[in-house]
Structure formats: C-alpha cells, structure tokens
C-alpha cells in the first residue's frame, strides 16, 4: 500500500483520452487534484467532468505542449489555484506513421515538437513551483519504441521517445539537489483511442506477438506512474519502467512459436 497522495496537485498532459486519461483518473481516484490538459478544451473538460462525476477533483486546461506560452499559463493556473505543483505527468504525444521515403521535414518537426520539445516545455514550466516547494515528482510517458525497439514508419517517433530518456538522464542530475525526481514509464502496446486508430489488423498481429497475449490497459500504465509519483519512490530518479506484457523479451518469432507450443 503506497502512502496517500490525497490533496496533492497534479498536472497530466494529453489527458483528454488514452493513457493520460487513465493516469488522471487513477491519481484523482487516489485523492489528488488533477489538471487535465489537451489541445481540445472541450475534450479536456469532458474528462475533468467525468472525474468529478465519479467523486474526484479535476479541472481542465486547453493547452498545446509544444507552445511555451501555453505551458507557462498551464503551470501558473495550478500555482494560483492549488498553491503549487506536486506531480507532473508529461504524457502528451502523437504517433503518425511515415516511412523514411515519405517522412517530410515538417512531419519530423511536428512529432519532435510535441513529443520531445513538449516534454521539455511542460517540465520547464513546472520547475519554479517544484523548486520553491523543495519537492516534485515528474513522470514521463516514453515508449519501448525508440529506446529499445524499432518499427517501420516510426523513426521520428522512436527518436522522440529515445530523446525523452536522454533529456531525463541529465535533468535527473540537475533536479536531484532540489528533491525533484524524474522517471519514465515505457509502455508497450496499450489499448487507447490513438492505438485503435492503427486498425484491427495491427492490433491483432501485435497482440499475437506479446507473451501475455493481450494489449496493455491504460490502468497498467497509470499504476506505474502512480508508483513514481508516490513518496515510496522518493529515492528513484532518472530510471525507467517497461510495462509491456513481456513484448520486448522474445529474441525472435521462433521464441514466440516455442512459447505457443508449450500451451
Ligand atoms: P491518444 O489516445 O492519441 O491520446 C493523446 C492525448 O494527447 C490526447 O489527450 C490528445 O488530446 C493529447 N495531445 C496530443 N498532442 C498534444 C499537444 N501538442 N498538446 C497537448 N496535448 C496533446 O494517445 P495515447 O495512446 O494515450 O498515447 C499517450 C502517450 O503514450 C504518448 O506520449 C505516446 O507516445 C505514449 N505511448 C503510447 C503507447 C500506446 O500503445 N498507446 C505506447 C507507448 C507510448 P488533443 O488531441 O486534444 O491535444
């Protein structure tokens, strides 16, 4: 049983749906006040309203993580309403596929601006409050794709997700003296609106390649984020946690076939 996060103030970017919504719901369910952030203000408000309807505390903010002014406004609103920021889940991300022949410089910039620069901007905006409190918990949603694995069409995405970890390693050293931890969850294939957009053939074949034979749920990721946000994780910083049902483990298709023969 983790120490209560009741009353803590948390920001979750990209929380109108998918993994971010799962994290926001869980943190709010554990008593934190959550700011739900997305570019669609209506969708963010709908998620915040859903959380409030189930007894949690949540408000919404329309903000684009790739925009510095938006990030400053987001952090300032939480500091004003809640006197400080305890937890930031830098989760917003996009994964449009484009193979190298079709990947344009603009397509590259768009993915890096949201996934990598957006992670940096969200964190930078929250640091003054966390430093003033001499305490903070930052949880990045990275991926297995990039840091560990590759997949045709996601070279830009993989670069952004590996880049988040490179950023984190130095940020962890700079933030440790301020009692601020920064860690990353590395999801495998998690059933979200974004993943479902990749189509049923992708989802079916992907499920077959995962030793646990199921896609992850947003709760699987949310519990890992909750752990990094907890007091019990106070001495863990600059680290990663893979949550993928064993997806990165088989060394070949043959390993999966052998596993299936075992029944
Ligand atoms: P999703 O279902 O598509 O949801 C993405 C969320 O991010 C939405 O709330 C979206 O709302 C928001 N968002 C996108 N761009 C934004 C921006 N520039 N500024 C603010 N909010 C933004 O995606 P997901 O599958 O939950 O993925 C969430 C994170 O997990 C991403 O970082 C992704 O790389 C990572 N991840 C996912 C999987 C997976 O299998 N699903 C696996 C590994 C890693 P708006 O469009 O309204 O802004």
């Amino acid at each position: 049983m983790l120490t209560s996060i009741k009353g803590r103030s948390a920001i979750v970017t990209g929380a109108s749906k998918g993994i971010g919504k799962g994290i926001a719901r869980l943190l709010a369910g554990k008593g934190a006040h959550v700011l739900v952030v997305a570019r669609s203000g209506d969708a963010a408000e709908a998620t915040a309203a859903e959380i409030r309807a189930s007894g949690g505390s949540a408000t919404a903010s329309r903000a684009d993580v790739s925009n510095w002014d938006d990030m400053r406004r987001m952090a300032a609103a939480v500091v004003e309403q809640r006197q400080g920021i305890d937890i930031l889940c830098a989760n917003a991300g996009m994964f449009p596929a484009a193979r190298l022949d079709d990947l344009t410089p603009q397509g590259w910039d768009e993915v890096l601006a949201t996934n990598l620069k957006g992670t940096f901007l969200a964190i930078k905006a929250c640091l003054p409050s966390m430093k003033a409190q001499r305490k903070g918990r930052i949880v990045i949603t990275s991926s297995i794709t990039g840091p560990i694995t590759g997949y045709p069409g996601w070279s830009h995405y993989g670069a952004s997700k590996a880049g988040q970890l490179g950023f984190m390693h130095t940020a962890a050293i700079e933030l440790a003296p301020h009692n601020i931890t920064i860690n990353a969850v590395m999801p495998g294939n998690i059933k979200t609106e974004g993943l479902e957009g990749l189509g049923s053939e992708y989802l079916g074949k992907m499920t077959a390649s995962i030793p646990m034979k199921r896609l992850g749920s947003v709760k699987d990721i949310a519990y890992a984020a909750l752990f990094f946000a907890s007091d019990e994780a106070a001495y863990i910083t600059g680290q990663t946690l893979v949550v993928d049902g064993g997806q990165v483990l088989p060394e070949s298709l043959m390993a999966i076939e052998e596993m299936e023969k075992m029944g």
Side-chain angles (χ1 to χ4, degrees), residues 5 8-15 19-20 23-24 27 32-38 61 63-65 68 70-76 78-79 84-92 114-131 133 135-142 164 167-168 171 175 179-185 221-222 224-230 237:
I5 58 163
R8 307 255 163 101
S9 75
I11 296 176
V12 184
T13 67
I19 290 173
I23 295 172
L27 296 185
H33 171 83
V34 179
L35 182 73
V36 173
V37 180
S61 173
D64 183 335
V65 294
W68 177 226
D70 279 10
M71 290 299 93
R72 280 200 296 201
R73 192 174 41 77
M74 169 193 84
V78 175
V79 170
I85 303 161
D86 300 308
I87 300 163
L88 167 67
C89 294
N91 165 82
T114 293
N115 296 5
L116 185 54
K117 187 178 174 193
T119 298
F120 158 62
L121 294 182
I123 291 169
K124 186 173 172 63
C126 294
L127 286 181
S129 166
M130 290 182 172
K131 283 184 179 175
Q133 297 183 159
K135 188 178 177 197
R137 291 278 186 279
I138 299 166
V139 185
I140 294 171
T141 308
S142 175
Q164 287 177 309
F167 165 80
M168 177 182 77
L175 298 177
N179 195 27
I180 299 168
T181 67
I182 176 167
N183 293 288
V185 180
I221 305 305
L226 173 65
F227 171 63
F228 280 136
S230 73
T237 195

Side-chain angles (χ1 to χ4, degrees), residues 13-21 36-41 43-44 63-67 71 90-95 110 113-115 118-119 141-145 157 160-161 164 185-196 198 202 216 218 221:
T13 67
S16 62
K17 52 186 178 175
I19 290 173
K21 184 173 179 177
V36 173
V37 180
R39 289 169 302 178
S40 161
D64 183 335
V65 294
S66 67
N67 182 302
M71 290 299 93
N91 165 82
M94 50 162 49
F95 34 93
E110 198 189 349
T114 293
N115 296 5
T119 298
T141 308
S142 175
S143 177
I144 58 170
T145 311
Y157 176 77
S160 72
K161 293 286 144 179
Q164 287 177 309
V185 180
M186 297 166 73
N189 278 262
I190 310 303
K191 212 161 179 235
T192 64
E193 290 86 336
L195 197 81
E196 277 168 352
L198 300 175
Y202 173 94
V218 296
I221 305 305

